[in-house]
Amino acid sequence: MKMNFLKAMVFAGAVALAGCSTVPTTTPTLDEARADFVAANNNPQVATYAQMEFKQAGEALDRANQAAAQRESLDTIDRLAYVAKQKIATAQEVAKAKAAEAEVANAGRERDRVQLEARTAEADRAKRDAAAAQAQAAAAQAQAQDAQAQAAAAQQQAAQQADRAARLEALLVELHAQKTERGMVVTIGDVLFATDRAELNANGMATVKKLAEIMTQNPDRTVMVEGFTDSTGSAAHNKDLSERRAASVAQALVGLGVPRERIGMRGYGEAFPVASNDTASNRQLNRRVEIVLSNAGAPIPPRAAQR
Amino acid sequence: MDTKSMNLLMRVGAAAAVLSLAACASPEKTPATAAVAVSHNAVENAVTAGAPELAPAEISAARDKMMRANQALAAKDYKTARELAVQAQADAKLAQSKANSAKATAAADALNEDLRVLRQEVDRANSDQQQ
């Protein structure tokens, strides 16, 4: 296009030299058309989108330049320059329109892309929200299950406790236990021992077994095993016998699995009679082993004064 | 100077005038009906493209020249008719391309604005999510 322009100028010059006049003439309109042509030639959009229109504009400008070179009337030069000017402007407008159309197509594609992006983000967000809600629901469910399990455990514990209490009650009734301020007292009479000996017989062993069961089921209780005799015989012998019988019971409890540290043991001999020693039946009452079962979690207070 | 020589001089002068006209300008003798029809078409196309609203100065110039071209045609002034038709056609084509470029530019601007708003919304939605 630049070449065309240059050619046109050279040609115009040549024609001017060879034509009717030696001095080329021009008009303001022709000057404007020439300037517009240079501007259009420098517009890359024109080269891309309006080649045909620009070519036609160049040809119109050539005709105007020829007319100027041939010193035709100013009116004719102006007229041709005007047409060239309009054609150059047309090329500029065509280029502008096509560039805008290209932009429209581009913007449309870009909008589709952004919309897709937005929908993808929205979907991701929804997914994340759903996952969070699900997690929350799961957590709530787990919490409810925990609470339920806890309640069930508490219920079970309560039931166990009640069951244990009932069993303890039943066993204590079976053992004819007496409630005292020191705790429940189970008395093993001397008929459960071989005469003048410390070994438990089968019935005595059965009683001790029940006691061991109570101890196992109530780990917060301790026992104090206390041996007593009647006043027959020497005090030293009686003390020894009472200690051996208490030890025998304690040993039997240990043998049945009761920890040693939960068993206290003491022999009192002929002290603390429960009856006067003047009749055989009363003396038999005094020959005994008392097993004091502590209250839950409490120590056994020491034997105080004679009761 | 006698009449004969005067006559000769006038003849030579007339011949010179005719020659000069033939050399520097070529007078139009054929009817310009086709040129006027083409420019008429161009004006109609420009009007269809929306030139009365989008390029009023150009389309009124084209219409004015069209009218004068028709008048010249009727007066058998074919040279003027042809010149005016050519100018009217140039004006009409400029009016049409101006209308087209205005529409295309408006469409592109509107789309770009839509795009800007859409991008803003997407950005806002995304940044809300991140908070």
Side-chain angles (χ1 to χ4, degrees), chain B residues 6-109:
Chain B
M6 271 283 283
N7 205 357
L8 184 68
L9 198 67
M10 276 177 68
R11 274 190 189 174
V12 169
V18 167
L19 274 175
S20 80
L21 278 172
C24 290
S26 51
E28 309 276 347
K29 289 286 156 93
T30 49
T33 320
V36 173
V38 168
S39 61
H40 184 74
N41 233 356
V43 170
E44 276 186 350
N45 286 344
V47 169
T48 308
E53 295 81 32
L54 299 165
E58 286 78 8
I59 196 69
S60 74
R63 277 171 167 159
D64 178 51
K65 281 167 192 157
M66 264 289 304
M67 206 182 67
R68 280 160 53 205
N70 274 320
Q71 284 167 356
L73 195 61
K76 296 197 187 330
D77 183 356
Y78 300 135
K79 183 170 173 287
T80 304
R82 197 183 307 278
E83 285 166 4
L84 283 167
V86 168
Q87 287 185 53
Q89 196 187 337
D91 287 345
K93 282 204 167 153
L94 177 56
Q96 185 179 351
S97 54
K98 258 196 167 175
N100 284 340
S101 81
K103 282 191 287 191
T105 303
D109 287 353

Side-chain angles (χ1 to χ4, degrees), chain A residues 118-133:
Chain A
R119 298 221 177 89
T120 306
E122 208 175 326
D124 284 353
R125 207 151 50 229
K127 228 189 290 188
R128 272 198 300 273
D129 287 353

Side-chain angles (χ1 to χ4, degrees), chain A residues 158-181:
Chain A
Q160 270 174 357
Q161 245 161 16
D163 188 44
R164 209 161 52 193
R167 277 225 295 267
L168 176 63
E169 193 71 23
L171 281 169
L172 288 171
V173 167
E174 234 176 285
L175 292 169
H176 306 292
Q178 282 183 316
K179 199 177 164 87
T180 71
E181 64 273 18

Side-chain angles (χ1 to χ4, degrees), chain A residues 20 82 86 93 103 110, chain B residues 24 87 91 101 112 119 129:
Chain A
C20 298
Y82 177 80
Q86 295 298 78
E93 290 298 328
E103 208 179 318
E110 181 63 10
Chain B
C24 290
Q87 287 185 53
D91 287 345
S101 81
N112 280 329
R119 276 210 183 97
Q129 177 58 25

Side-chain angles (χ1 to χ4, degrees), chain A residues 235-280:
Chain A
H237 175 79
N238 286 339
K239 177 106 164 85
D240 179 58
L241 180 63
S242 72
E243 279 172 0
R244 279 190 292 124
R245 282 188 165 173
S248 180
V249 170
Q251 191 54 51
L253 284 171
V254 170
L256 290 165
V258 179
R260 168 70 74 186
E261 63 270 17
R262 289 174 59 199
I263 303 166
M265 179 179 84
R266 190 94 198 252
Y268 287 102
E270 55 193 65
F272 304 106
V274 290
S276 63
N277 282 302
D278 48 3
T279 66

